[in-house]
């Protein structure tokens, strides 16, 4: 079961599709094996970058079943939904299939601190014993969750064991949460997203790792390992090599298509298909990704990676 000690790299998994839009089950198996081989200490599925909203309820459960059966690391399942009934149905199914926990993002209808707090009180009640991750991603949800509200959720809801931190800018929020923990507040795991753009700084501020979906998940594992070993210069050197690709993949509206293209080029998934509606990369964009990958490979060899 997921708990407050979770750390490392919980890779946000894509959902592979065939060219006709059907779920590519063989690619799911290969993808799970790949993520774990590249250093993932956990996987997160059916998140925003997993195209969860494009799956039927039956498909969502089938994906959870396939991944949990294949994985040797803990699985977190995104169960965000417009209503609590759908959230509970998927959460119960996921936990019954062996998931370690679930993740919930706030709906965009929440406008005040009291509304956010009430929502997560209701979330905890709905999920029962299932440990959950509070996803703080205001750039997408349009819900700003102040530090004091996160601390109140943590104080009121024992099953909230992790913050997926994707506020931007958000480094000060990490520092504030850790200062509160040092002063006696319950300490929960903080894993960070945003495609790894600020990973090293987030670790230096007190984060426990990453929960994001960059197409080179080994970058997160390598940076975190170097950080944890106290070799910050090595961590910076590794991060700097991958930064051009991280930056390119971070393009709003295009990032998932770039990620899937890279994973297909690496042989992880068979096709780079996004289920409709979804973007398609132009020949020029693909060429730019290929050029970045080639330069990155040269620099990694120079680092002995």
């Amino acid at each position: 079961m997921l708990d407050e000690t979770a750390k490392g790299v919980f890779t946000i998994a894509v959902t592979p599709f065939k060219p006709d839009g059907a779920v590519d089950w063989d690619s799911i198996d290969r993808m799970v094996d790949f993520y774990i081989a590249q250093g993932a200490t956990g996987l997160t599925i059916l998140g925003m970058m997993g195209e969860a909203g494009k799956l039927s309820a039956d498909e969502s459960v089938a994906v959870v079943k396939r991944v949990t059966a294949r994985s040797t690391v803990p699985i977190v399942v995104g169960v965000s939904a417009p209503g609590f009934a759908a959230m509970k149905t998927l959460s119960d199914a996921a936990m019954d299939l062996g998931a370690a926990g679930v993740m919930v993002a706030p709906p965009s209808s929440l406008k005040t601190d009291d509304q956010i707090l009430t929502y997560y009180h209701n979330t905890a009640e709905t999920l029962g014993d299932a440990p959950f991750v509070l996803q703080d991603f205001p750039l997408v949800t349009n819900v700003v969750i102040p530090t004091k509200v996160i601390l109140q959720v943590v104080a009121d809801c024992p099953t909230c064991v992790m913050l997926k931190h994707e506020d931007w800018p958000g480094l000060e929020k990490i520092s504030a949460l850790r200062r509160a923990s040092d002063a006696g507040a319950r300490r929960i795991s903080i894993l960070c997203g945003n495609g790894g753009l600020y990973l090293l700084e987030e670790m230096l501020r007190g984060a426990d790792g990453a929960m994001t979906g960059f197409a080179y998940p080994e970058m997160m594992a390598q940076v975190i390992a170097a950080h944890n070993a106290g070799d910050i210069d090595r961590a910076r050197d590794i991060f700097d090599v991958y930064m051009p690709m991280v930056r390119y993949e971070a393009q709003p509206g295009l990032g998932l298509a770039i990620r899937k293209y890279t994973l297909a080029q690496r042989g992880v998934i068979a096709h780079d298909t996004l289920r409709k509606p979804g973007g398609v990369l132009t020949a020029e964009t693909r060429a730019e990704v290929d050029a970045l990958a080639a330069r990155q490979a040269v620099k990694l060899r120079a680092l002995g990676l």
Side-chain angles (χ1 to χ4, degrees):
M1 295 285 278
L2 192 70
D3 64 25
E4 295 88 347
T5 66
K7 59 184 178 180
V9 181
F10 277 61
T11 305
I12 295 284
V14 302
T15 302
F17 297 108
K18 296 179 179 179
D20 64 0
V23 177
D24 185 347
W25 303 105
D26 290 339
S27 286
I28 286 180
D29 292 344
R30 195 161 54 246
M31 176 188 70
V32 169
D33 294 347
F34 168 80
Y35 285 145
I36 295 171
Q38 298 305 313
T41 55
L43 299 177
T44 303
I45 60 175
L46 303 186
M48 295 178 185
M49 293 299 255
E51 300 178 81
K54 301 176 186 178
L55 298 175
S56 70
D58 288 344
E59 285 176 325
S60 295
V61 173
V63 168
V64 175
K65 184 176 182 179
R66 188 80 171 208
V67 173
T68 53
R70 185 82 178 185
S71 178
T72 57
V73 298
I75 303 298
V76 173
V77 179
V79 298
S80 303
F84 288 111
M87 180 192 297
K88 179 174 175 56
T89 297
L90 182 54
S91 176
D92 287 351
M95 297 305 292
D96 286 345
L97 288 167
V102 298
M103 181 168 67
V104 181
S108 60
S109 58
L110 304 182
K111 304 301 181 185
T112 68
D113 293 354
D114 285 345
Q115 289 174 339
I116 296 168
L117 187 58
T118 298
Y119 179 81
Y120 277 104
H121 284 167
N122 290 334
T123 294
E125 181 180 354
T126 297
L127 298 177
D129 294 333
F132 74 91
V133 180
L134 191 166
Q135 185 173 9
D136 182 19
F137 197 5
L139 291 176
V140 170
T141 63
N142 293 314
V143 178
V144 177
I145 310 179
T147 301
K148 65 179 182 180
V149 176
I150 294 173
L151 290 169
Q152 193 63 55
V153 172
V154 171
D156 295 348
C157 306
T159 52
C160 179
V161 298
M162 180 188 292
L163 173 69
K164 185 187 178 189
H165 174 272
E166 298 190 89
D167 205 346
W168 186 356
L171 295 174
E172 296 300 333
K173 180 179 280 188
I174 298 173
S175 294
L177 289 168
R178 287 306 183 225
R179 284 195 297 269
S181 296
D182 292 341
R186 181 166 69 93
R187 188 190 193 281
I188 63 171
S189 172
I190 299 177
L191 301 187
C192 299
N194 286 322
L197 274 167
Y198 310 103
L199 176 61
L200 182 55
E201 289 79 13
E202 289 161 346
M203 294 298 297
L204 291 168
R205 293 289 188 118
D208 297 295
M211 184 184 278
T212 195
F214 182 47
Y216 294 86
E218 60 268 38
M219 179 275 278
M220 279 86 76
Q222 292 162 0
V223 169
I224 291 170
H227 169 272
N228 290 344
D231 194 345
I232 305 303
D233 287 340
R234 174 72 170 175
R236 292 190 189 282
D237 288 342
I238 295 169
F239 186 76
D240 289 349
V241 169
Y242 286 100
M243 196 60 217
M245 188 69 84
V246 172
R247 171 189 60 84
Y248 198 82
E249 194 188 279
Q251 295 179 75
L254 201 60
L256 182 57
I258 294 168
R259 185 176 302 168
K260 280 194 158 183
Y261 172 73
T262 302
L263 290 170
Q265 291 295 100
R266 300 189 76 186
V268 180
I269 58 177
H271 312 281
D272 62 357
T273 308
L274 273 68
R275 185 173 273 187
K276 296 179 180 179
V280 177
L281 301 185
T282 64
E284 290 86 353
T285 299
R286 291 171 184 257
E288 288 165 354
V289 176
D290 293 342
L292 288 170
R295 289 179 58 83
Q296 179 177 280
V298 172
K299 294 177 181 179
L300 286 172
R301 284 195 294 271
L303 281 180
L305 296 171

